[in-house]
Amino acid sequence: MANVKTPPMKRSSAAFLQTVIVFIGIGALALLLWEPHIEGRNVHATLFQIYFKDPFLAYAYIASIPFFVALYQAVKVLGYAGHNRVFSPSAVKALGTIKSCAIAIIGFVALGEVFIMLGDSDDRAGGVFMGILITFGSIVIATAAAMFERILHNAVDMKSENDLTV
């Protein structure tokens, strides 16, 4: 079977989406670093007070790791699509990692909600609402990734069966 080149539009679309994901990551990182400085209780605090006296902030930074891992895996999947290798075991593995990261985010948010409810907070409603939004988005991502992972896994299996019979 001849090796078919990917049309330029498909590659440029994948590159555009990869760029969008990189900008989302940069924006999220900037927000993570900038927001603690403008938060009401930290307005006049020193850097030491902001970063070393707030365990919830440290928890938020640790909980953001799966988000950035999932973004990296999404960039990889789009790279596979741009090079016409979306039906590969590597793409299936990347989608599985995205699904696992979304589930980890749900777990981190659930623990964060417990932390908010048990803590001394004057605005629990805002934190709980943000947690619900993040959880809903993560459920959508985990479900979509699981569905695409299953579809690609079946396609890879069929492709490998066809390669064995040829």
Side-chain angles (χ1 to χ4, degrees):
M1 192 168 177
N3 191 2
V4 180
K5 285 197 162 199
T6 305
M9 183 62 183
K10 195 175 210 181
R11 259 194 204 149
S12 64
S13 297
F16 173 74
L17 290 173
Q18 284 176 319
T19 305
V20 168
I21 289 173
V22 167
F23 280 130
I24 289 170
I26 291 170
L29 183 62
L31 183 67
L32 277 171
L33 296 175
W34 174 66
E35 193 279 331
H37 297 276
I38 61 167
E39 184 181 11
R41 64 183 173 175
N42 289 335
V43 171
H44 300 292
T46 65
L47 287 177
F48 182 82
Q49 290 170 327
I50 292 172
Y51 289 107
F52 293 106
K53 293 201 175 192
D54 188 0
F56 190 74
L57 184 60
Y59 182 78
Y61 286 153
I62 292 169
S64 70
I65 293 171
F67 173 76
F68 291 108
V69 170
L71 286 181
Y72 174 70
Q73 295 299 320
V75 168
K76 281 177 53 175
V77 169
L78 288 169
Y80 296 140
H83 290 99
N84 208 15
R85 294 185 318 169
V86 75
F87 297 109
S88 67
S90 306
V92 174
K93 184 178 177 193
L95 285 169
T97 303
I98 292 171
K99 177 183 70 174
S100 299
C101 287
I103 292 169
I105 290 170
I106 292 168
F108 276 119
V109 168
L111 285 173
E113 295 294 328
V114 169
F115 188 78
I116 289 172
M117 295 307 254
L118 296 177
D120 216 14
S121 175
D122 56 344
D123 186 22
R124 290 186 180 136
V128 170
F129 181 69
M130 293 293 288
I132 290 170
L133 286 178
I134 293 169
T135 300
F136 178 72
S138 295
I139 289 171
V140 170
I141 298 288
T143 304
M147 183 183 70
F148 290 134
E149 179 187 23
R150 189 173 342 124
I151 290 169
L152 283 181
H153 189 275
N154 291 340
V156 168
D157 286 347
M158 289 176 19
K159 182 181 174 188
S160 65
E161 287 175 10
N162 287 340
D163 289 344
L164 290 176
T165 58
V166 172

